[in-house]
Amino acid sequence: MIKAISSLRKTLVLPLHLHIRTLQTFAKYNAQAASALREERKKPLYQNGDDEYVDLDWDNLGFGLTPADYMYVMKCSKDGEFTQGELSPYGNIQLSPSAGVLNYGQAIYEGTKAYRKEDGKLLLFRPDHNAVRMKLGAERMLMPSPSVDQFVNAIKQTALANKRWVPPAGKGTLYIRPLLMGSGPILGLGPAPEYTFIVYASPVGNYFKEGMAALNLYVEEEYVRAAPGGAGGVKSITNYAPVLKALSRAKSRGFSDVLYLDSVKKKYLEEASSCNVFVVKGRTISTPATNGTILEGITRKSVMEIASDQGYQVVEKAVHMDEVMDADEVFCTGTAVVVAPVGTITYQDKR
């Protein structure tokens, strides 16, 4: 039998959604959640005027790749440290066919955004938290990683170099993708001898084609996203291709995304394909605990902090699907998604 929840009440957490969507406008959270970009800088290879915009239809941005002008590149050896990186025009990179990333998937990535304020200044959303998460992920994947300062500096330089690609306030964001990969050649299974850190960017709008409308989710019971002891808790590139089959199947049936269950009992909520999930019942907001199979999202953490400040009881725990189907509201969060309300969940309960 298929259960569905529809017409979920939005009134309970609407103030929470508004706080998240306009996070950068609240002075209290600006200090915690966003870093203002310094306008003082050396004259780089880019010469675009600060107020110049690239010629794009800002009112119809989707979430597709529209490469901005410049990317940031930095390298290091297996036992060395990352040296000073530099900006270069966005373009293809050269890799050996035996590169560790191509043969063994030794790579992780992050995602963050640059926002344009009404006065034209740019904000970054907690890039130091992304830097720390990359270091933890790199440790799991046996890779060296940039320092927090190197990471944040690379993000700032990339945002400033591509300022004309940052959409006007309220029209979208500049999505920034830091990527750390084993770029050196290796044949036998082992860590690569060289690593490359790249940051590139693209202007984006809403992640889901529904825009700000409620999502229609399908609970996946055949495939799982991650298992205990695996790498589901870090942003390894190997976590994402395995979800494509389930995601493609769900979208072909008209669903927005997939909700994944735990790999052991297949009765507990984990996360969606690329975002964390929250369940609201009264004044209690529950979200699956991060136990090594769920990514500790930066937006997830921010939602929990703000919700707690707003008087909600925030609980991290194992969330049974019965609780999900009985919820007042379900919503998804992530760097790409920000906050997306869920309208319908289809669940084939096989008990």
Side-chain angles (χ1 to χ4, degrees):
M1 177 175 122
I2 295 178
K3 298 179 182 178
I5 53 176
S6 58
S7 300
L8 292 174
R9 291 189 288 124
K10 304 299 184 290
T11 55
L12 285 174
V13 294
L14 180 58
L16 178 62
H17 286 176
L18 290 176
H19 276 292
I20 299 297
R21 291 172 186 160
T22 59
L23 191 60
Q24 71 271 27
T25 66
F26 288 81
K28 178 178 180 181
Y29 297 115
N30 275 348
Q32 300 174 354
S35 298
L37 298 184
R38 297 176 185 173
E39 296 300 330
E40 301 86 2
R41 58 189 183 273
K42 296 178 181 179
K43 284 293 183 182
L45 55 93
Y46 52 93
Q47 298 294 330
N48 301 315
D50 283 350
D51 298 327
E52 180 184 358
Y53 284 100
V54 70
D55 184 18
L56 283 180
D57 182 359
W58 300 113
D59 293 318
N60 291 290
L61 285 178
F63 201 89
L65 179 63
T66 306
D69 293 325
Y70 300 102
M71 62 184 187
Y72 186 92
V73 182
M74 185 163 55
K75 293 180 178 289
C76 87
S77 64
K78 179 176 68 174
D79 300 317
E81 295 182 354
F82 279 93
T83 57
Q84 180 65 40
E86 62 180 6
L87 289 164
S88 62
Y90 177 90
N92 294 337
I93 60 173
Q94 188 171 19
L95 282 175
S96 165
S98 59
V101 61
L102 298 180
N103 291 264
Y104 301 116
Q106 192 185 24
I108 55 176
Y109 75 90
E110 283 292 328
T112 187
K113 288 180 176 179
Y115 296 79
R116 189 184 295 271
K117 297 174 64 178
E118 293 290 348
D119 62 6
K121 294 182 179 179
L122 305 186
L123 294 175
L124 293 175
F125 185 74
R126 309 187 97 165
D128 53 328
H129 290 246
N130 293 94
V132 171
R133 190 170 66 178
M134 174 167 276
K135 290 184 73 68
L136 294 174
E139 181 181 349
R140 175 65 179 86
M141 303 298 287
L142 201 60
M143 296 189 292
S145 63
S147 68
V148 172
D149 287 343
Q150 286 176 321
F151 182 100
V152 173
N153 178 61
I155 300 300
K156 288 184 176 182
Q157 287 200 45
T158 303
L160 288 170
N162 295 301
K163 186 173 181 179
R164 72 191 192 114
W165 293 85
V166 183
K171 299 289 187 179
T173 58
L174 183 71
Y175 182 82
I176 301 174
R177 168 66 59 83
L179 173 65
L180 175 62
M181 60 182 170
S183 52
I186 187 167
L187 183 60
L189 179 60
E194 182 186 74
Y195 296 86
T196 301
F197 176 67
I198 295 176
V199 183
Y200 64 92
S202 174
V204 297
N206 290 314
Y207 182 77
F208 292 106
K209 64 181 179 61
E210 289 85 353
M212 300 309 297
L215 304 178
N216 177 21
L217 303 184
Y218 180 79
V219 179
E220 176 59 49
E221 296 181 86
E222 180 181 0
Y223 300 107
V224 296
R225 180 190 170 273
V234 300
K235 286 188 76 69
S236 166
I237 64 170
T238 56
N239 289 337
Y240 294 90
V243 309
L244 295 178
K245 186 172 184 178
L247 180 60
S248 177
R249 183 172 63 181
K251 287 189 173 182
S252 71
R253 297 174 180 174
F255 295 98
S256 311
D257 202 349
V258 173
L259 285 181
Y260 291 94
L261 303 178
D262 71 289
S263 62
V264 179
K265 296 183 178 180
K266 293 192 175 180
K267 294 297 178 184
Y268 294 92
L269 175 67
E270 292 259 293
E271 60 182 1
S273 299
S274 58
C275 48
N276 297 120
V277 184
F278 287 82
V279 176
V280 182
K281 187 70 174 179
R283 298 290 297 179
T284 299
I285 300 180
S286 301
T287 191
T290 53
N291 54 10
T293 62
I294 299 171
L295 186 69
E296 296 192 33
I298 310 302
T299 310
R300 173 184 180 273
K301 179 180 180 181
S302 303
V303 167
M304 292 169 64
E305 292 171 351
I306 295 173
S308 181
D309 285 352
Q310 293 295 309
Y312 290 87
Q313 180 183 8
V314 180
V315 181
E316 294 181 84
K317 65 173 186 175
V319 180
H320 197 281
M321 278 305 299
D322 286 349
E323 296 179 63
V324 178
M325 303 309 290
D326 189 47
D328 295 327
E329 169 137 6
V330 178
F331 62 93
C332 299
T333 69
T335 299
V337 176
V338 186
V339 173
V342 176
T344 303
I345 297 177
T346 300
Y347 176 36
Q348 179 74 49
D349 190 347
K350 296 180 180 179
R351 286 178 296 180

